[in-house]
Amino acid sequence: MIFSLRRSFTGHFQPSQHSYQLKKAKNVKTIATRFKSRSKSIIVGCGDVGLRILKLFSSKHRILATCRRTEQAKAIKELGGVAIIGNLGDKKYIKRIANLCKSSRCLLLYQPPNHGQKDPISFKLILQINTQTHQYLNLKQNSNICYVSTTGVYGDTQGGWVDEKTPSNAKTARAKRRVYAENCWRGKNKTHSSQMQNIASVRILRAPGIYANQRLPMERIKSKTPTIQAEEDAWSNHIHADDLARLCWKCSFAQTGRYIINAVDNQPMKMGDYFDYIADYFGLDRPPRLPKILIKEQVSEMMWSFMSESRRVNNQRLKKLKTFRLKFNNVETFLNQGAKDIKRSYQTHDGD
């Protein structure tokens, strides 16, 4: 099932194939009412992790998911979800998503815009959720928020350990946007501090680099993109995409309270060692090592932001969660458990 919320120049919402026709707010309210008893979760920004949530849980739960493109909507539908097509940058679309969020578990997986140091999506979504649903949201209802942020908010600690109590020290624009969004959802933004009292629980998941089948840095390794020499190399952290999906789902059921969880696996690795390990596993040449000062000239600005910051992230709070255990303790566990399938999938992918 796909909902299309895009307007034509005539001012009406145009239905795409397999979609409902929506006309202004009246029809959106009808949808919200229709799914109130059946739909308990909504994924806002359904990318790879969102699709994994659908694959794992949609057979027993009614899940809505937002997306921007028709092909994404088809993937959501195939996995048993209800797709809502639109652009989170559009104020009217956000208003309608907020209406569907009332009394729901909200899994917020969207990416902030690629410019500036603020996240207008979080800002506007909170305003609309509280404007439209303040009469529904209280501690006795399922008004639960799970927002996926990044470990980049800690900044560079030169290899030192950080935990959830470590103050944010974001250096890159990307990380600063995440800090801004976190503060919005935690009620630390002055504009939202009073409004966030209407929301029962908020979980901020700080996620690092994600690995999974088809999410390994194969092209980078094959292209022999250099990495930093061992004595200058940076510590990095990772998590498997399925573990992150399961953790998001778990946290969306939290009853009350607001706190942060470092969503990382059990083994920090030097970044170059991570590339070397995967290269060895697939029988490829290891990436060349160069001094840090030379690497900056050969990689993208985003990649440099990852490579230039070194930190080790503590996950003791995650380990203390009841009824949740990581399926993959580290990259080695993942590769060893699915060795044949992983190699076969990459061989098939390369042949396409």
Side-chain angles (χ1 to χ4, degrees):
M1 188 181 299
I2 301 172
F3 294 141
S4 178
L5 303 182
R6 290 179 290 189
R7 253 184 214 277
S8 72
F9 290 108
T10 62
H12 294 282
F13 293 100
Q14 300 296 318
S16 58
Q17 188 177 8
H18 308 300
S19 69
Y20 284 89
Q21 183 174 11
L22 307 179
K23 294 184 180 179
K24 301 185 179 180
K26 182 177 179 180
N27 295 60
V28 178
K29 290 181 180 179
T30 301
I31 292 171
T33 303
R34 179 177 179 180
F35 287 110
K36 185 176 180 181
S37 61
R38 301 173 62 197
S39 173
K40 293 297 182 181
S41 300
I42 179 168
I43 300 171
V44 183
C46 189
D48 177 62
V49 174
L51 293 176
R52 290 171 187 270
I53 292 172
L54 287 167
K55 184 177 181 179
L56 290 168
F57 302 109
S58 65
S59 62
K60 295 183 179 180
H61 299 269
R62 191 68 172 175
I63 305 175
L64 283 71
T66 74
C67 60
R68 299 186 64 174
R69 299 187 297 273
T70 303
E71 56 268 28
Q72 292 173 304
K74 291 180 179 179
I76 290 169
K77 181 185 176 184
E78 289 173 358
L79 292 173
V82 179
I84 310 171
I85 303 176
N87 186 347
L88 288 172
D90 180 72
K91 183 178 179 179
K92 293 182 179 179
Y93 180 73
I94 283 187
K95 184 176 181 179
R96 294 176 177 91
I97 295 304
N99 190 43
L100 293 171
C101 280
K102 65 183 180 182
S103 300
S104 296
R105 294 180 289 271
C106 301
L107 298 94
L108 308 177
L109 310 182
Y110 56 84
Q111 297 284 338
N114 293 324
H115 56 274
Q117 297 187 4
K118 295 183 178 181
D119 178 10
I121 296 176
S122 293
F123 184 87
K124 294 175 183 178
L125 186 57
I126 292 172
L127 286 179
Q128 291 299 331
I129 286 177
N130 285 282
T131 298
Q132 296 192 44
T133 66
H134 68 278
Q135 57 183 312
Y136 304 98
L137 299 181
N138 57 62
L139 297 180
K140 297 180 180 179
Q141 293 183 305
N142 293 327
S143 51
N144 300 335
I145 301 293
C146 176
Y147 175 74
V148 178
S149 182
T150 172
T151 54
V153 301
Y154 293 118
D156 182 16
T157 64
Q158 298 181 348
W161 284 93
V162 297
D163 61 21
E164 291 84 354
K165 296 180 180 180
T166 303
S168 299
N169 188 31
K171 298 299 183 183
T172 66
R174 174 177 174 272
K176 288 178 180 178
R177 290 191 288 270
R178 291 295 192 175
V179 172
Y180 178 88
E182 285 189 11
N183 288 338
C184 286
W185 289 110
R186 296 173 68 193
K188 291 192 173 185
N189 183 309
K190 293 181 180 180
T191 304
H192 300 317
S193 58
S194 60
Q195 295 172 328
M196 290 301 292
Q197 294 176 7
N198 295 320
I199 295 180
S201 75
V202 177
R203 298 292 182 268
I204 305 292
L205 302 184
R206 289 177 173 169
I210 299 173
Y211 60 88
N213 199 354
Q214 296 300 335
R215 291 197 66 159
L216 297 175
M218 299 300 293
E219 292 304 318
R220 176 188 170 87
I221 293 171
K222 290 179 179 179
S223 65
K224 302 187 187 309
T225 302
T227 189
I228 300 172
Q229 60 188 5
E231 56 268 30
E232 295 181 293
D233 204 1
W235 285 97
S236 61
N237 305 268
H238 305 86
I239 189 170
H240 191 281
D242 283 348
D243 279 334
L244 181 57
R246 291 172 51 242
L247 182 59
C248 288
W249 188 254
K250 161 78 176 176
C251 289
S252 72
F253 281 83
Q255 295 301 310
T256 59
R258 302 173 192 171
Y259 59 80
I260 298 166
I261 299 174
N262 288 330
V264 302
D265 67 19
N266 296 331
Q267 185 180 340
M269 297 180 70
K270 290 289 188 74
M271 189 170 293
D273 293 344
Y274 172 67
F275 294 137
D276 286 350
Y277 188 88
I278 294 173
D280 293 346
Y281 178 84
F282 285 97
L284 302 172
D285 293 335
R286 291 184 172 185
R289 301 275 190 139
L290 293 176
K292 193 172 184 178
I293 193 173
L294 297 179
I295 293 293
K296 187 176 182 179
E297 301 173 357
Q298 301 190 40
V299 297
S300 66
E301 183 178 351
M302 178 174 288
M303 177 55 68
W304 177 247
S305 71
F306 291 114
M307 300 180 73
S308 62
E309 296 184 346
S310 179
R311 57 185 167 267
R312 286 177 283 180
V313 181
N314 182 299
N315 70 347
Q316 289 302 309
R317 183 173 289 180
L318 182 152
K319 291 180 179 179
K320 292 178 181 178
L321 289 177
K322 295 180 180 179
T323 69
F324 182 84
R325 293 292 180 271
L326 289 168
K327 182 178 179 181
F328 302 101
N329 289 324
N330 50 42
V331 176
E332 181 180 2
T333 303
F334 161 63
L335 293 176
N336 290 338
Q337 285 188 11
K340 292 183 180 180
D341 291 338
I342 295 169
K343 289 185 176 179
R344 187 184 303 115
S345 69
Y346 274 100
Q347 290 170 353
T348 302
H349 183 72
D350 288 345
D352 291 341

